[in-house]
Amino acid sequence: MINKILKSKNYISLICGTLIILGLIIKYTFHDEIIMSIFLILASIIGILPIMIQAYQALKIRVISIDLLVTIAVLGAFIIKNYEESSIVTFLFLFGVYLEQRTLSKTRSAIKELIEMAPESAFKLNDFGEYEEVDIDEVNVGDNLLVKTGNKVPVDGKVITGEGYINEASITGEPTPVHKTTGCKVYAGTILENGSLHIIAERVGEDTTFSKIIELVEEAQDAKSNAERFIDHFAKYYTPLVLLVALIVYLYSFNLELAITILVLGCPGALVIGIPVANVAGIGRGARSGILFKGSEVINDFSSVDTIVFDKTGTLTTGKPEVSEVKIYDHHNLDYTYALLVSIEKTVDHPLAKAIVNHFGVVSNLLVEKVNVIRGGGLKGIVDNKEVIIGNVTLLEDEKVDIPDYIYKDVNDLILNGHTIVLVSINNECKLLIGIKDQIRPTVKEELNRLKRFGVKNLVVLSGDNQGSVNILANELGINEAYGSMLPQDKVKFIEDLQKHVRVVAFVGDGVNDSPSLALANIGISLSSGTDVAIETSDVVLINNDFINLTFALKLSRKIMNNMKQNIAIALLVVVILLLSLIFGDWMNMTIGMFVHEASILAVILNSMRLLKYKHKKG
Amino acid sequence: MKKAIIQLEPLVCPSCTNKIETLVHKYNGVNHDSVKVLFNASKLKFTFNEDRISVEEVVNAITKLGYQVVKFDIKDV
């Protein structure tokens, strides 16, 4: 019975509202005060039931709740036979809760969208050798599962047979489908766009990367900041205090009307909900763009960051070397030269070799007869009966290849520009000079400039690379401080020293080898492709590995902080106005008080909903 | 020790979390430091000693307090 009443709160508020309207119509058309009173009494009694039950249940565990204040106020109105007030206040309170529910669920919608992307069922191989559809909870590690075209991958696992293209946007933010064949890892929550895969479950349920992201976001929304803990603490004592004040006023003045008005005015509403609602909307907005903030404390710190330290390789650069310069010293039979080069490079597995093969693309394969890899130098071999030597200057000098002065000059120019040098010699004749560079990510330069404009005073780059190439990069990007030859522990030391001088230090890394720095910095930011380490050690995760999101994250964090401040201002202003008008005005009563109270809660929620629509404008 | 994750109906007022927290703290088998009520996610999480208390007990008490329990999970810690 009790649960039924609580469940049907919304209907009760509808009935209550209808009775009030009928009562008022009767009053103003038939001028029948008695029938009107009967309607309003009925409305009050029906409306107060769920509120009273909640008040009682809270009281049982020794909590003085807002429901208790409203219950007492309504009973008080009953005693002084003001049925208009008693009914309208109960209705407003119930209807307010309904509206709060509706609007709150909107602010929570961004995160709900994320959760709804979680897979619900899987095709599992049963004892009869058939695939049968089962609930996701029935899948265990080691199970053999089938993923069909259009299905979500149900768990993290490994492909055993089959192939297909998977859209991994939910984990990596990368919209282009990735080709998967035997041995490839697949992740829960990603979608098989075509093909079919048989996979072995490796991590299921809450252990999958996807579930970890969701759990992180959920915990983040409710991770409380100091300000919020203070307000919560305050609210705990505030409600009983209001009750006490009302009682004292009554005992002192015997004015019941005044006492119950104080009860209604004193309901803490907008103040306690102001911060959490801005949090959930802001964090939800971030999650939608692949920015994960771990809680409001992080948002607070990040919004006032003044120094950002960047890791170089994989953060400011793509981490994948590419050919960026080719100098040709013999234009004769060029395609043949390329064919010799690519044929031999294809036989070795080295980042530089890969960069060369990618750059020169598909050419006819020639017969490779012999390959020797020379550590720290390059490689030499026999291709199509030609002696081919590929490598750095030292290797070619050792092999007695004649290098004219103008080539030495080109080599020096490229080194000064931060290139790694590869010379190609065929039959002891230098044919090509290739400059390979770990490319700067596109948009990095503009983003760094924008960060500066948004008030981040110091930008620093740290790298394990040599000082020369770090300087070149720093110059190109306009970074004021750059330090090379840094081991992970040197980076940690550097951040420790920095924290003695500046207020808030953020460290941006790729999340794999920089965990100590990520953990130590006030704000650790990882540009990640969804690795567990990155999710666990950093405070802000930029899931889709996109540099543009860094400035957006900064702007969003400031927007959220402003939103919280606005909410608190609204809440405090309302309380002050209510109290002042109660003391100095004569128009204030319970009904208006309840109306303003509910309206201020809705105003705060609506204000935070604006965060969901916040867009990243460039510039 | 086991961990309980209880999904509640959407919580509307932050003082609801206060009530639920106080209620769960009343049980002796519950690890008091572990009790967490997530307002926005409308979830209750805590670890408990399965010999001293069952999750069903807590779920019933929460329902009696006036909050619908949507579902609950128990996991090994």
Side-chain angles (χ1 to χ4, degrees):
Chain A
M1 176 65 190
I2 283 176
N3 280 329
K4 222 172 184 174
I5 292 176
L6 292 179
K7 253 191 205 166
S8 35
K9 250 187 281 181
N10 292 342
Y11 294 108
I12 289 176
S13 119
L14 186 70
I15 296 170
C16 185
T18 318
L19 285 173
I20 293 171
I21 292 171
L22 287 178
L24 293 178
I25 289 174
I26 289 166
K27 178 182 173 182
Y28 292 109
T29 48
F30 303 106
H31 305 285
D32 190 333
E33 293 273 333
I34 293 168
I35 294 184
M36 177 205 76
S37 296
I38 292 172
F39 271 96
L40 294 185
I41 290 171
L42 266 178
S44 311
I45 293 173
I46 293 173
I48 199 67
L49 268 179
I51 306 174
M52 213 185 249
I53 292 169
Q54 280 176 352
Y56 171 67
Q57 281 163 336
L59 210 54
K60 266 204 306 203
I61 54 165
R62 297 204 194 91
V63 172
I64 292 181
S65 63
I66 176 169
D67 309 290
L68 186 67
L69 299 189
V70 176
T71 306
I72 296 175
V74 170
L75 290 179
F78 236 79
I79 291 170
I80 53 174
K81 295 205 171 80
N82 190 338
Y83 305 124
E84 247 173 80
E85 288 216 324
S86 69
S87 57
I88 294 176
V89 165
T90 41
F91 169 72
L92 281 176
F93 187 69
L94 286 173
F95 188 59
V97 170
Y98 167 74
L99 286 181
E100 281 158 34
Q101 240 165 17
R102 292 290 302 271
T103 47
L104 259 180
S105 75
K106 283 248 163 60
T107 63
R108 291 168 178 166
S109 62
I111 282 143
K112 230 174 132 208
E113 283 165 22
L114 194 71
I115 294 170
E116 276 163 4
M117 280 160 68
E120 279 162 0
S121 64
F123 291 95
K124 178 171 148 181
L125 188 66
N126 62 19
D127 296 341
F128 311 108
E130 289 161 356
Y131 286 98
E132 106 186 284
E133 187 162 10
V134 297
D135 191 85
I136 193 72
D137 290 337
E138 288 169 40
V139 178
N140 297 309
V141 173
D143 281 349
N144 183 325
L145 307 170
L146 171 67
V147 188
K148 301 178 190 170
T149 301
N151 282 3
K152 276 176 200 154
V153 176
V155 294
D156 286 3
K158 201 187 239 169
V159 179
I160 40 175
T161 52
E163 66 173 310
Y165 284 86
I166 289 188
N167 184 331
E168 296 193 323
S170 59
I171 301 281
T172 63
E174 175 62 49
T176 332
V178 186
H179 185 232
K180 299 277 179 177
T181 54
T182 309
C184 291
K185 297 243 177 214
V186 291
Y187 298 98
T190 58
I191 297 165
L192 183 62
E193 295 205 331
N194 66 53
S196 86
L197 300 171
H198 296 264
I199 62 170
I200 289 286
E202 290 180 335
R203 285 187 299 186
V204 301
E206 321 241 315
D207 297 326
T208 64
T209 304
F210 185 70
S211 299
K212 280 190 183 149
I213 292 176
I214 290 179
E215 194 182 349
L216 174 98
V217 175
E218 277 186 357
E219 300 251 338
Q221 302 168 68
D222 288 300
K224 293 189 171 170
S225 60
N226 289 333
E228 204 178 344
R229 267 193 290 271
F230 172 75
I231 290 177
D232 280 359
H233 203 67
F234 169 76
K236 220 177 191 168
Y237 296 103
Y238 178 74
T239 321
L241 186 74
V242 170
L243 193 60
L244 194 68
V245 170
L247 188 69
I248 293 171
V249 167
Y250 177 66
L251 292 177
Y252 186 72
S253 67
F254 284 101
N255 184 343
L256 192 57
E257 172 102 51
L258 181 65
I260 58 178
T261 308
I262 290 176
L263 281 183
V264 170
L265 295 190
C267 290
L271 194 59
V272 276
I273 210 165
I275 294 181
V277 82
N279 236 351
V280 68
I283 290 176
R285 174 67 193 89
R288 214 185 247 166
S289 296
I291 300 167
L292 305 185
F293 289 112
K294 285 199 189 164
S296 58
E297 200 71 19
V298 167
I299 294 172
N300 184 15
D301 287 349
F302 190 41
S303 66
S304 58
V305 69
D306 51 10
T307 303
I308 302 184
V309 179
F310 296 92
D311 173 44
K312 177 176 155 277
T313 310
T315 302
L316 294 177
T317 66
T318 60
K320 292 177 201 120
E322 279 173 44
V323 172
S324 63
E325 287 280 348
V326 179
K327 297 229 186 280
I328 301 160
Y329 301 117
D330 181 2
H331 286 271
H332 181 67
N333 229 346
L334 199 55
D335 285 341
Y336 182 67
T337 308
Y338 290 159
L340 289 172
L341 169 69
V342 172
S343 300
I344 192 167
E345 290 287 12
K346 266 188 186 162
T347 65
V348 292
D349 185 34
H350 186 277
L352 293 183
K354 271 192 197 146
I356 288 173
V357 174
N358 284 341
H359 181 78
F360 292 99
V362 193
V363 286
S364 54
N365 278 325
L366 299 170
L367 180 66
V368 180
E369 285 153 55
K370 214 175 98 192
V371 187
N372 265 333
V373 177
I374 294 108
R375 255 174 202 287
L379 47 92
K380 60 179 199 167
I382 310 286
V383 186
D384 199 30
N385 289 322
K386 306 277 186 308
E387 191 193 19
V388 181
I389 303 170
I390 302 167
N392 57 20
V393 178
T394 326
L395 176 72
L396 269 75
E397 283 170 347
D398 286 352
E399 294 292 328
K400 308 276 184 297
V401 179
D402 180 40
I403 307 175
D405 283 347
Y406 61 89
I407 295 188
Y408 273 115
K409 193 182 161 297
D410 286 348
V411 167
N412 282 334
D413 287 349
L414 287 188
I415 289 178
L416 282 177
N417 280 316
H419 289 84
T420 304
I421 298 301
V422 176
L423 283 164
V424 181
S425 134
I426 291 161
N427 284 345
N428 272 337
E429 212 178 299
C430 205
K431 303 273 190 187
L432 293 174
L433 166 59
I434 302 169
I436 296 178
K437 216 174 172 182
D438 185 3
Q439 298 292 330
I440 292 174
R441 281 172 187 264
T443 74
V444 160
K445 194 170 181 180
E446 300 94 86
E447 293 305 318
L448 291 181
N449 280 332
R450 221 179 293 169
L451 283 174
K452 277 192 215 158
R453 253 183 289 140
F454 290 136
V456 183
K457 277 175 268 162
N458 310 309
L459 299 176
V460 185
V461 57
L462 303 182
S463 174
D465 223 345
N466 66 61
Q467 185 69 45
S469 50
V470 179
N471 282 346
I472 291 162
L473 176 107
N475 273 335
E476 203 165 321
L477 293 177
I479 292 177
N480 8 9
E481 287 182 71
Y483 304 96
S485 313
M486 293 274 238
L487 298 171
Q489 57 266 37
D490 299 329
K491 294 183 186 174
V492 169
K493 178 86 181 34
F494 183 86
I495 292 173
E496 267 173 354
D497 289 343
L498 203 57
Q499 280 172 329
K500 289 175 194 152
H501 307 296
V502 291
R503 234 157 34 90
V504 184
V505 179
F507 180 85
V508 189
D510 61 5
V512 184
N513 47 23
D514 288 315
S515 310
S517 305
L518 282 173
L520 178 71
N522 303 68
I523 299 290
I525 302 170
S526 60
L527 285 161
S528 97
S529 36
T531 54
D532 288 353
V533 198
I535 293 176
E536 269 155 39
T537 45
S538 38
D539 302 302
V540 179
V541 184
L542 306 179
I543 286 197
N544 57 12
N545 202 355
D546 191 342
F547 217 82
I548 289 179
N549 267 347
L550 187 61
T551 11
F552 185 41
L554 180 64
K555 281 165 73 181
L556 185 60
S557 71
R558 291 190 181 161
K559 200 86 189 167
I560 299 170
M561 286 315 291
N562 282 338
N563 201 277
M564 284 179 187
K565 285 174 194 157
Q566 290 156 9
N567 283 353
I568 291 174
I570 293 172
L572 290 178
L573 201 69
V574 166
V575 171
V576 169
I577 291 175
L578 286 178
L579 284 179
L580 286 180
S581 52
L582 181 66
I583 298 169
F584 300 110
D586 52 3
W587 50 272
M588 178 54 72
N589 62 29
M590 243 170 92
T591 307
I592 296 176
M594 184 53 93
F595 181 77
V596 174
H597 166 76
E598 291 297 343
S600 70
I601 293 180
L602 286 177
V604 162
I605 297 178
L606 289 174
N607 184 40
S608 289
M609 254 157 75
R610 295 188 305 132
L611 287 173
L612 289 173
K613 298 215 179 79
Y614 183 55
K615 287 218 175 62
H616 184 34
K617 276 185 245 106
K618 296 193 173 178
Chain B
M1 286 302 253
K2 300 230 179 203
K3 185 177 187 187
I5 302 168
I6 299 176
Q7 177 71 56
L8 305 159
E9 65 175 318
L11 297 177
V12 179
C13 58
S15 66
C16 306
T17 62
N18 188 359
K19 277 198 254 177
I20 293 167
E21 219 175 305
T22 318
L23 174 84
V24 180
H25 275 293
K26 291 219 177 317
Y27 289 93
N28 282 328
V30 170
N31 174 3
H32 288 229
D33 295 332
S34 71
V35 179
K36 227 192 256 176
V37 185
L38 303 179
F39 170 61
N40 284 309
S42 307
K43 273 186 186 170
L44 164 66
K45 298 182 181 177
F46 57 86
T47 57
F48 63 101
N49 184 338
E50 67 269 33
D51 300 330
R52 297 177 62 185
I53 187 182
S54 75
V55 176
E56 284 78 5
E57 255 179 271
V58 181
V59 167
N60 282 336
I62 292 172
T63 317
K64 271 203 190 133
L65 190 62
Y67 300 98
Q68 305 300 318
V69 172
V70 180
K71 66 167 193 180
F72 62 92
D73 275 326
I74 302 164
K75 282 206 309 184
D76 293 314
V77 183

